[in-house]
Amino acid sequence: MTNAIDWQLATVTAVRDETPTVRTFTLGLPGWDGHRAGQHLDLRLTAEDGYSVERSYSIASEPERSGEVDITVERIPGGEVSAFLHEVVVPGDRLELRGPIGGYFVWEAALGGPLLLVAGGSGVVPLMAMARHRARSSAASLATAANGAAGTPARLLLSSRGPEEIIYRAELDTLASAGDGFAVVHTLTRQQPPGWTGYARRIDEAMLADVLEPLGASVRAYACGPTALVETVANGLVRLGLPPDRIRTERFGPTGT
Amino acid sequence: MQDRIALMRDDPAVELSVDGNAIAGLLMSVFGREVTAMEEQCAHCRTVSVVGTLRVYMRGPGVVVRCPACAEVVLRVVETPSGRRFDASGATHLVAGR
């Protein structure tokens, strides 16, 4: 048993690349009490001279996994903590953290849907925890329901710069092909592969209207990414008729910081 | 108040802001429990907001938290040599729920 307020030591058990600048770290936490999809943790690095720096990272893994969590970290040019994680940390290292943290930007299967998830770049991380949680709870309800009911209808709109920069690309494809009511819509804002027929611009109100349409206006919406993108999404969804209290946001500041 | 909202929307500094979620850990260390899902009332415009939706500016020497409706300062948190100073004079109250 540990408390979310207390700092605890986690052991890095795995490191894997998601894109050329984004890496996932699996953190072994024997005393972890579990989290809710969308929550984050605070990581603290302390130098020998006592200088210490803290950063918050969204938890990427679903709550159903026990004893460990994944965080997915984008390497920020000049970033103190992200550079350390990318360049120095290897499996076996120990990191100091506290969590889970946050009670507002969370989704649980019991809340229901339909679910509209909108992300820019690494803003997809907390939404991935929701998508994974949704898939696990949909599989669990399929196993118990004789009528073969599908999971919570959900759509993810993900804005990435180019095809190489789509975080979790393969896993998103897998989730979307499960046939349980989850769809992924990509927009590639800077570089598109040959023959690309998807969106090729920044998220705007028209795009939101298209993606929202199959879900109807009773959705719960979660938007995460750079502040300017989240502003566009939140204001756009309100203009499209969503009640503001059905829209939850997590802004992480200017792009690339 | 509408002018002030327009002012905030046009202010390039809004792009630098993050949500109340970002200081959930800091607030937890002040209050001893999670508070970002709670509601507070702005002392300036009386708007009630979920703490997680407040606008947070944390690039300065301290943390400044503004009301999303009127942009006035609701909370300030500053580390000083004598300890952490938490100024909530811009909020009338916080609803702790059950």
Side-chain angles (χ1 to χ4, degrees), chain A residues 4-5 36 40 42 54 56 98-105 227-228 230-231 235 249-255 257, chain B residues 9 14-19 21-26 28-29 31-34 36-37 50-53 55 59 84:
Chain A
I5 301 174
R36 295 191 283 160
H40 64 266
D42 286 351
E54 291 172 23
S56 297
R98 67 177 175 191
I101 291 168
Y104 164 70
F105 193 78
T227 299
V230 175
E231 289 290 305
N235 294 334
T249 57
E250 183 152 283
R251 298 166 171 88
F252 57 54
T255 314
T257 57
Chain B
R9 294 247 161 88
V14 164
E15 273 201 33
L16 299 175
S17 72
V18 294
D19 297 285
N21 313 333
I23 53 164
L26 173 68
M28 200 163 64
S29 65
F31 288 95
R33 60 175 286 186
E34 147 61 27
T36 56
V50 176
V51 173
T53 68
R55 293 306 183 92
R59 297 178 162 238
R84 179 171 288 163

Side-chain angles (χ1 to χ4, degrees), chain A residues 29-81:
Chain A
L29 286 154
W32 190 250
D33 275 349
H35 61 276
R36 295 191 283 160
Q39 286 188 298
H40 64 266
L41 49 81
D42 286 351
L43 204 84
R44 177 165 75 180
L45 302 181
T46 307
E48 280 174 25
D49 65 0
Y51 170 76
S52 100
V53 55
E54 291 172 23
R55 290 287 184 278
S56 297
Y57 291 107
S58 291
I59 298 169
S61 48
E62 68 277 24
E64 285 80 2
R65 254 168 75 186
S66 66
E68 61 180 24
V69 297
D70 282 353
I71 56 170
T72 298
V73 179
E74 179 173 17
R75 195 196 155 139
I76 305 300
E80 277 180 301
V81 178

